[in-house]
Amino acid sequence: MSIFNGVTAAMVRRINTISNQYGTVRLEHPAYWDESCPVLQKAREVAESAAICRWRPADKLCNQLPDGFELKFYCLKGRDSVRRFIPLYGSDQLIAELFRGGQAVLKQHHQLSDKEFASYCMKFLFFQKTRSLNNHYKRNFGGFLDLIVKKPGRESGDKRNILPEDLVFLDNLTGKEFPGGITKLQMEGERLTREYGIQRPNRQQIINYGLFAAAMNQPLKLKDPEQIEFCVRMSLFNDTDTRICDPETRLWIEEQILIAIEKHQHDSQEKFDNWFSGPGNSFLSQISKKKCPFGKLDNDIVRWVLLEWGWEAYHYVGKCIDAQMRCLLNALPAPLDERERKIFEMVYLKQDCLGEFPLLLLQERLSFLQIPMLAVLNGQDDFDFAGTIHRLLLYYSSMAESRRAADRRIQGFSDQCRKQKHVIKIFEYKDDQPVEDSGKRRRYKPLTDDEEDNWDD
């Protein structure tokens, strides 16, 4: 059991009672637009009116927050008369700011001790550390090239892509299911994007809408909250290069981690970040080389402890984001109507279908999850929303793991070829036709793949 368990047991319950007593909201006319942000440029084009929404903490919170702390959002009112809140900062900075504000709110709301409050700061540190590990999935499947597995990367000779084995599509005319490949995924994605009014979809949209079409026909029905949380975790992290240890060893490792952090507490922020989670840092090795009274350590064990600790931190960060955004919601001068509130809650507050996490905290999977969410917000209710979300998360975890394994096999093949001084002939790919070494498009018809049609090495 982690040494942080039980620190704030009262906070396990959902926070519904937070009122506007912890801060105030002021709406101002925007003095400028950030023209460097494409999202804001597009929002400006379609918005009928706009304001800057500023949340400032009450005096009783100010001693827990940096001087001048405030949260700023664009409040945009579209042609549909619906207000939407768009942050002025990137997602990582927004998460950090919301955590900071929510942490102060929860300290006041639950009367946390200084020790409990300090533990929250430590949790955010491990939240950031976990996201810097190689176990964190960062890949977005932005093109069909990402789905193809070259011959050296195949585990078996028949599997030429990373699409899930259980990916199936439904024939709209006959109602029969048929297995999905890249060509079928592209056809379904193009069909669905047209139905949703996207005239010129990019490749990532075609892929994501194709997966959405398959997930709607095969929703994953999860009822147990632990199963849902596990599904979410699988879509964010893998357990590669980890090894489970006994509780005593875990406690000892956690203590050594805290001791190591304490020794660096007077470092500058830049120096500390480089030591703790910077590129090429040796933090895992520093801990694993220590002599443990419960057995020999290695990097795999320390990595597992960090992942477990980081996942606990995810829950605390999610609670802080939820608490802060509830404060902002309750402090708005003009309450949101039903549709506005639904949009706000879906993005910024905890969701049962996401394992009690806000969507903001899972922003890495936004490209996968935004399609069913937009469909629901636009009034489409003819599919199992939660089941589709869970199926998409499962699709992603399967594809990401297959892609990573294939890339490792390809890298191993390349390393062996270099050692043996063999010439490696590399084939690159365009959308629909291979390109050979020099990058010049072939003048003759490319090889065809009997399984996937026009996709081969």
Side-chain angles (χ1 to χ4, degrees):
M1 180 177 291
S2 171
I3 61 177
F4 282 159
N5 282 0
V7 169
T8 53
M11 297 178 54
V12 173
R13 61 185 175 83
R14 181 184 288 272
I15 304 161
N16 289 318
T17 58
I18 291 180
S19 68
N20 60 358
Q21 62 179 306
Y22 299 112
T24 56
V25 167
R26 186 171 67 183
L27 298 177
E28 303 172 353
H29 182 74
Y32 72 95
W33 285 85
D34 187 353
E35 299 293 346
S36 64
C37 179
V39 174
L40 292 181
Q41 288 181 18
K42 187 174 181 180
R44 181 182 183 181
E45 293 172 2
V46 299
E48 284 193 346
S49 63
I52 296 289
C53 174
R54 296 176 180 267
W55 182 89
R56 289 176 177 165
D59 291 341
K60 57 186 175 183
L61 299 185
C62 288
N63 63 332
Q64 306 293 339
L65 294 167
D67 292 341
F69 179 86
E70 68 174 359
L71 299 171
K72 293 188 289 185
F73 294 80
Y74 279 122
C75 178
L76 305 178
K77 189 172 185 179
R79 297 189 181 108
D80 55 2
S81 299
V82 174
R83 289 172 291 172
R84 296 172 175 83
F85 292 82
I86 301 178
L88 268 72
Y89 352 85
S91 57
D92 289 340
Q93 183 183 349
L94 177 62
I95 289 172
E97 294 295 310
L98 293 181
F99 170 79
R100 205 171 278 128
Q103 183 185 27
V105 169
L106 292 177
K107 183 180 190 305
Q108 185 72 29
H109 193 69
H110 292 288
Q111 297 298 305
L112 302 181
S113 66
D114 291 340
K115 181 179 180 180
E116 291 171 331
F117 184 76
S119 76
Y120 263 63
C121 298
M122 191 66 69
K123 285 177 174 62
F124 191 74
L125 197 62
F126 288 104
F127 166 79
Q128 293 176 309
K129 174 64 177 178
T130 305
R131 289 159 64 93
S132 72
L133 294 175
N134 292 335
N135 302 75
H136 182 214
Y137 288 129
K138 304 178 182 70
R139 181 182 288 273
N140 286 318
F141 300 101
F144 294 105
L145 172 62
D146 294 334
L147 308 181
I148 299 168
V149 180
K150 298 179 182 180
K151 193 171 183 178
R154 297 174 191 165
E155 190 171 14
S156 61
D158 295 333
K159 185 64 174 172
R160 300 171 184 242
N161 60 58
I162 61 165
L163 295 177
E165 297 283 355
D166 57 352
L167 183 71
V168 295
F169 294 101
L170 189 67
D171 190 319
N172 293 329
L173 297 177
T174 64
K176 293 182 179 179
E177 292 183 349
F178 54 90
I182 292 180
T183 302
K184 298 178 181 66
L185 176 73
Q186 182 177 1
M187 291 171 58
E188 287 296 305
E190 290 174 347
R191 177 187 64 80
L192 205 57
T193 52
R194 287 194 299 270
E195 290 183 8
Y196 280 75
I198 303 176
Q199 301 302 324
R200 300 180 64 184
N202 58 41
R203 297 181 189 93
Q204 186 174 30
Q205 287 176 317
I206 292 173
I207 292 171
N208 290 341
Y209 272 88
L211 293 170
F212 175 49
M216 281 194 296
N217 297 328
Q218 199 181 21
L220 182 62
K221 299 185 182 297
L222 299 177
K223 300 294 184 183
D224 187 349
E226 291 185 2
Q227 291 180 329
I228 296 173
E229 181 185 329
F230 182 70
C231 182
V232 173
R233 178 170 177 170
M234 285 177 59
S235 72
L236 293 172
F237 298 97
N238 65 74
D239 58 359
T240 304
D241 300 327
T242 63
R243 190 155 62 90
I244 299 175
C245 64
D246 58 81
E248 292 82 5
T249 302
R250 177 180 174 178
L251 277 173
W252 188 88
I253 292 173
E254 290 176 348
E255 289 172 358
Q256 298 305 309
I257 290 173
L258 293 178
I259 292 171
I261 290 174
E262 187 175 358
K263 290 180 180 179
H264 288 264
Q265 64 180 341
H266 298 299
D267 292 352
S268 66
Q269 188 65 51
E270 182 180 0
K271 185 177 180 181
F272 179 87
D273 290 343
N274 289 333
W275 167 77
F276 189 61
S277 56
N281 74 86
S282 60
F283 184 79
L284 290 175
S285 299
Q286 292 176 36
I287 304 300
S288 65
K289 288 179 180 177
K290 294 179 179 292
K291 188 174 181 180
C292 175
F294 304 104
K296 187 176 181 181
L297 300 181
D298 56 34
N299 284 1
D300 292 354
I301 294 177
V302 179
R303 184 186 299 274
W304 177 79
V305 172
L306 283 172
L307 280 172
E308 292 299 305
W309 221 351
W311 188 246
E312 291 175 12
Y314 256 81
H315 289 276
Y316 287 95
V317 174
K319 289 183 177 72
C320 289
I321 292 174
D322 183 87
Q324 174 60 82
M325 293 309 290
R326 286 184 187 277
C327 284
L328 188 148
L329 176 64
N330 294 331
L332 289 173
L336 303 183
D337 63 27
E338 183 178 355
R339 188 179 179 194
E340 292 170 339
R341 191 180 184 96
K342 192 173 184 179
I343 295 172
F344 186 95
E345 291 180 349
M346 189 170 282
V347 177
Y348 297 114
L349 303 187
K350 295 188 293 185
Q351 300 294 309
D352 293 338
C353 65
L354 296 178
E356 292 292 303
F357 295 114
L359 176 61
L360 174 64
L361 200 55
L362 312 181
Q363 43 94 13
E364 307 99 308
R365 303 289 84 83
L366 183 59
S367 62
F368 264 60
L369 301 180
Q370 66 178 346
I371 299 173
M373 290 186 168
L374 288 174
V376 168
L377 293 174
N378 289 327
Q380 183 179 347
D381 57 1
D382 58 349
F383 69 99
D384 182 346
F385 173 69
T388 300
I389 288 286
H390 299 152
R391 179 63 68 183
L392 284 171
L393 291 175
L394 194 63
Y395 282 165
Y396 179 87
S397 62
S398 172
M399 293 166 62
E401 185 57 35
S402 297
R403 181 74 267 171
R404 176 173 290 207
D407 290 344
R408 288 190 172 190
R409 286 191 290 269
I410 292 172
Q411 185 61 51
F413 173 79
S414 300
D415 292 343
Q416 288 299 318
C417 287
R418 290 189 181 94
K419 287 179 183 178
Q420 299 172 25
K421 297 182 179 180
H422 288 175
V423 176
I424 306 172
K425 191 159 187 171
I426 300 173
F427 291 85
E428 300 176 353
Y429 289 84
K430 294 296 184 185
D431 304 331
D432 58 353
Q433 195 173 19
V435 176
E436 207 166 354
D437 303 327
S438 63
K440 296 178 181 179
R441 188 171 293 278
R442 292 179 177 177
R443 295 181 180 275
Y444 52 88
K445 184 178 179 181
L447 296 174
T448 59
D449 181 338
D450 293 334
E451 181 184 356
E452 299 295 349
D453 291 335
N454 298 327
W455 299 92
D456 206 350
D457 310 315

